[in-house]
């Protein structure tokens, strides 16, 4: 165990020492390679046209209320409320006054990553190959294509999902939370508290006090939280996944929690031996 | 894309970043490591008709990258010997593959750290800045810098990257 940890720390040091943003990027590497392999595929012109079109549209939209910084990364700042903008992948955003957003020149080449601060509504163009990743000072939000709003500052992140699926991952505890339409998440970094609300149901995860509260949440959601919170693999029979569950736990062991759920709902949830 | 191109593309997408990390142990430079991996795939493409006869393409790729790195090092410094290669670059092949796969995951996880945390983490671990220097540079307190680095290390050690695939599967 200790040896593995040392090996991992050694690897982390090695990677950090050589890390360069945008390097070792598979999609870029693939483009570079195929351009040097004669006769390989015939999709170069199309992607070039798409990029030219996106760049032209981007230039058209720039202006009203959005200050575009000259230096990389591209930085947007909303001087007034409801400032619209279209990103190179055709994702549209509406920024509240004072909101900031930045993205790198590699945006849309391999993935779609932005970082933000303030209040921004997103309508993300669907692209299954290139996930759209929003980074705030306290959380990471990953989507494929959906509509949602994020409000972020140094201490907290709020997410409101209008449609589609969003994966919300707070920095601490690192518990990825799948969120669907109508769900709202409020994460406070200082207290490591995550509040998730949806019509008729809610839950609260407190990383500091190690307490969990579920109110009418579906079992698959509960199990997903428990699995990441306790870093353990849990098996939930498919036919029990949508059963509603309500309860609160503070510092109980995962075995106790699973026992309580199984006893109260007559379910068959089991803990797998291997950790996640 | 024809069948051969699809297979070739599959090998590339499955192993590219890992092979770059593998090459990095020999070359010590990200640009050169990437060049070697590109060259290795160009060579594989040249042999595409024989691809079916290669028993384990993955093993072939790791070995080829290693050999291409050593050739480059020798060409650059004809008088140098293998003793110049860092000893941990010469582990058994299986260990090298495992290490490259782990380091590729770490690289991706650094990519995914929140912006500010990544910046602070790299200032400390890549640029060798002290917490005090980082605090002065970023305008944060030393305690906050310390916290960012602690949390970055914690994420890199424990972040469940499978969650992503689970969710979008």
């Amino acid at each position: 165990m200790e040896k593995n940890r040392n090996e991992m720390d050694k690897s982390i040091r090695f990677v950090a020492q050589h890390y360069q943003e945008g390097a070792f990027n598979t999609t870029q590497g693939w483009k570079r390679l195929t351009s040097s392999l004669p006769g390989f595929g015939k999709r170069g012109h199309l992607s070039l046209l798409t990029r030219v079109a996106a760049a032209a549209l981007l230039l058209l939209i720039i202006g009203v209320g959005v200050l575009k910084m000259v230096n990389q990364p591209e930085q947007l700042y909303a001087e007034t409320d409801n400032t619209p903008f279209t990103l190179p992948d055709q994702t549209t955003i509406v920024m509240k006054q004072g909101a900031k957003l930045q993205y790198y020149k590699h945006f849309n080449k391999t993935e779609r990553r932005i970082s933000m601060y303030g209040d921004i509504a997103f309508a993300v163009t669907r692209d299954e190959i290139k996930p759209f990743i929003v980074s705030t000072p306290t959380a990471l939000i990953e989507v494929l294509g959906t509509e949602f709003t994020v409000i972020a500052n140094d201490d907290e992140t709020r997410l409101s999902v209008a449609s589609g699926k969003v994966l919300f991952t707070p920095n601490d505890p690192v518990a990825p939370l799948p969120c669907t339409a109508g769900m709202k998440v409020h994460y406070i970094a200082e207290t490591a508290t995550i509040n998730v609300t949806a019509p008729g149901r809610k839950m609260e995860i407190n990383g500091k006090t190690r307490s969990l509260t579920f109110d009418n949440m579906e079992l698959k959601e509960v199990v997903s939280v428990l699995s990441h919170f306790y870093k353990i693999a849990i098996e939930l029979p498919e036919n029990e996944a949508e059963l509603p569950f309500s309860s609160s736990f503070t510092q109980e062991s995962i075995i106790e929690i699973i026992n309580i759920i199984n006893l109260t709902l007559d379910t068959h949830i089991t803990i797998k031996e291997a950790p996640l | 894309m024809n069948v051969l191109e699809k297979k070739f593309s599959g090998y590339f997408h499955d192993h590219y970043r890992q092979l770059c990390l593998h090459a990095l142990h020999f070359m010590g430079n990200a640009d050169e490591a990437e060049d070697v991996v590109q060259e290795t795939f160009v060579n594989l493409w040249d042999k595409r008709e024989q691809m079916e006869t290669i028993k384990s393409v993955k093993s072939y790729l790791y070995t080829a990258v290693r050999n291409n790195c050593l050739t480059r090092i020798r060409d650059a410094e004809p008088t140098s010997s293998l003793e110049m290669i860092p000893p941990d670059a010469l582990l058994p092949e299986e260990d090298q593959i495992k290490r490259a796969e782990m380091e590729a995951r770490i690289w991706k996880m650094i990519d995914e750290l929140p912006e500010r945390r990544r910046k602070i983490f790299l200032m400390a671990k890549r640029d060798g800045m002290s917490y005090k220097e980082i605090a002065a540079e970023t305008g944060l307190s030393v305690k906050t810098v310390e916290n960012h680095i602690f949390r970055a290390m914690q994420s890199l050690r424990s972040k469940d990257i499978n969650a992503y695939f689970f969710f979008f599967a």
Side-chain angles (χ1 to χ4, degrees):
Chain A
M1 187 80 169
E2 186 62 27
K3 192 187 166 204
N4 287 345
R5 168 99 169 216
N6 289 341
E7 287 298 317
M8 174 149 239
D9 284 355
K10 196 172 157 191
S11 284
I12 291 173
R13 275 198 303 279
F14 176 80
V15 174
Q17 275 161 13
H18 294 90
Y19 180 85
Q20 285 176 27
E21 214 156 281
F24 298 170
N25 185 298
T26 306
T27 310
Q28 275 178 312
W30 178 244
K31 277 184 186 160
R32 179 181 159 194
L33 178 71
T34 47
S35 67
S36 67
L37 297 178
F40 192 102
K42 291 174 183 172
R43 296 161 63 189
H45 291 300
L46 185 63
S47 65
L48 183 64
L49 277 175
T50 312
R51 269 180 280 155
V52 170
L57 196 63
L58 181 67
L59 284 172
L60 275 175
I61 295 163
I62 287 170
V64 192
V66 175
L67 174 67
K68 180 180 172 289
M69 308 299 281
V70 177
N71 295 332
Q72 296 294 347
E74 302 286 340
Q75 293 183 325
L76 312 175
Y77 175 73
E79 290 180 333
T80 58
D81 257 349
N82 300 322
T83 301
F85 192 80
T86 304
L87 295 170
D89 68 330
Q90 302 307 304
T91 286
T92 55
I93 59 170
V94 179
M95 302 166 79
K96 285 273 172 70
Q97 187 178 16
K100 295 174 199 167
L101 179 144
Q102 70 172 28
Y103 60 91
Y104 286 91
K105 58 182 177 183
H106 301 303
F107 179 89
N108 204 28
K109 283 187 181 166
T110 57
E111 61 178 17
R112 301 173 291 166
R113 178 185 292 276
I114 63 112
S115 57
M116 63 151 288
Y117 200 92
D119 186 337
I120 305 178
F122 296 82
V124 176
T125 308
R126 189 166 186 84
D127 186 337
E128 304 213 350
I129 298 164
K130 292 179 275 189
F132 192 94
I133 302 166
V134 179
S135 170
T136 77
T138 61
L140 204 65
I141 297 156
E142 298 171 47
V143 305
L144 297 179
T146 178
E147 289 181 31
F148 61 97
T149 300
V150 180
I151 305 173
N153 60 30
D154 283 336
D155 308 313
E156 47 192 276
T157 298
R158 288 169 190 270
L159 165 73
S160 176
V161 185
S163 68
K165 278 201 287 189
V166 177
L167 187 66
F168 181 94
T169 309
N171 289 347
D172 176 34
V174 182
L177 300 166
C179 302
T180 50
M183 287 178 96
K184 290 181 179 178
V185 183
H186 181 196
Y187 170 63
I188 305 165
E190 196 184 353
T191 54
T193 309
I194 313 157
N195 272 295
V196 181
T197 54
R201 58 211 179 97
K202 61 184 177 184
M203 68 176 163
E204 183 180 301
I205 302 164
N206 190 314
K208 280 250 163 84
T209 59
R210 307 284 299 164
S211 65
L212 300 161
T213 302
F214 303 102
D215 183 359
N216 210 25
M217 297 299 290
E218 287 185 354
L219 261 192
K220 64 182 176 199
E221 295 166 326
V222 174
V223 164
S224 169
V225 167
L226 292 174
S227 160
H228 288 101
F229 198 70
Y230 288 91
K231 299 195 188 315
I232 196 158
I234 301 172
E235 202 164 76
L236 170 69
E238 211 177 317
N239 61 341
E240 297 170 358
E242 288 174 6
L243 290 174
F245 178 72
S246 301
S247 191
S248 289
F249 305 103
T250 302
Q251 299 190 344
E252 273 94 339
S253 73
I254 183 65
I255 296 170
E256 284 172 306
I257 294 176
I258 297 296
N259 279 344
I260 290 167
I261 299 175
N262 281 338
L263 282 172
T264 51
L265 293 181
D266 196 21
T267 48
H268 305 84
I269 303 168
T270 49
I271 295 173
K272 287 185 188 170
E273 280 188 14
L276 270 183
Chain B
M1 231 189 255
N2 63 34
V3 177
L4 207 56
E5 286 176 340
K6 269 187 187 163
K7 271 193 175 174
F8 180 73
S9 165
Y11 294 134
F12 184 91
H13 286 89
D14 285 349
H15 304 299
Y16 183 67
R17 184 176 280 148
Q18 293 88 319
L19 289 167
C20 287
L21 263 311
H22 181 50
L24 188 58
H25 279 276
F26 295 91
M27 306 309 294
N29 171 299
D31 291 337
E32 285 188 53
E34 208 154 1
D35 285 348
V36 171
V37 177
Q38 287 276 332
E39 179 192 314
T40 306
F41 275 101
V42 170
N43 293 343
L44 179 64
W45 180 247
D46 289 343
K47 295 176 190 162
R48 59 190 176 279
E49 301 301 340
Q50 300 146 43
M51 216 150 61
E52 292 292 342
T53 63
I54 300 174
K55 205 172 170 189
S56 164
V57 173
K58 179 176 172 182
S59 184
Y60 161 83
L61 285 168
Y62 277 88
T63 307
V65 164
R66 178 182 181 275
N67 290 339
N68 289 341
C69 286
L70 296 178
T71 305
R72 275 197 180 217
I73 292 167
R74 279 201 202 102
D75 289 350
E77 290 280 347
T79 54
S80 72
S81 72
L82 282 183
E83 285 161 19
M84 309 250 322
I85 309 291
D88 66 347
L90 300 169
L91 292 169
E93 185 188 274
E94 199 184 326
D95 291 346
Q96 291 188 34
I97 293 175
K98 275 185 194 161
R99 181 182 60 189
E101 287 172 346
M102 176 165 71
E103 289 174 351
R105 282 196 294 272
I106 294 169
W107 189 287
K108 188 168 183 291
M109 285 191 269
I110 294 178
D111 275 341
E112 288 172 357
L113 284 174
E115 183 82 22
R116 182 190 287 186
R117 186 156 298 168
R118 182 172 64 240
K119 199 175 153 195
I120 291 170
F121 172 77
L122 292 171
M123 280 170 144
K125 304 289 179 189
R126 180 183 62 193
D127 308 331
M129 290 169 72
S130 68
Y131 291 178
K132 210 172 164 185
E133 287 168 330
I134 298 170
E137 174 98 12
T138 56
L140 299 169
S141 69
V142 173
K143 189 80 194 157
T144 307
V145 169
E146 212 177 285
N147 191 38
H148 271 294
I149 292 165
F150 173 74
R151 299 232 180 272
M153 287 298 286
Q154 207 177 29
S155 310
L156 297 181
R157 285 192 190 117
S158 68
K159 190 171 179 189
D160 175 23
I161 57 162
N162 291 328
Y164 176 84
F165 298 104
F166 167 76
F167 179 64
F168 290 113

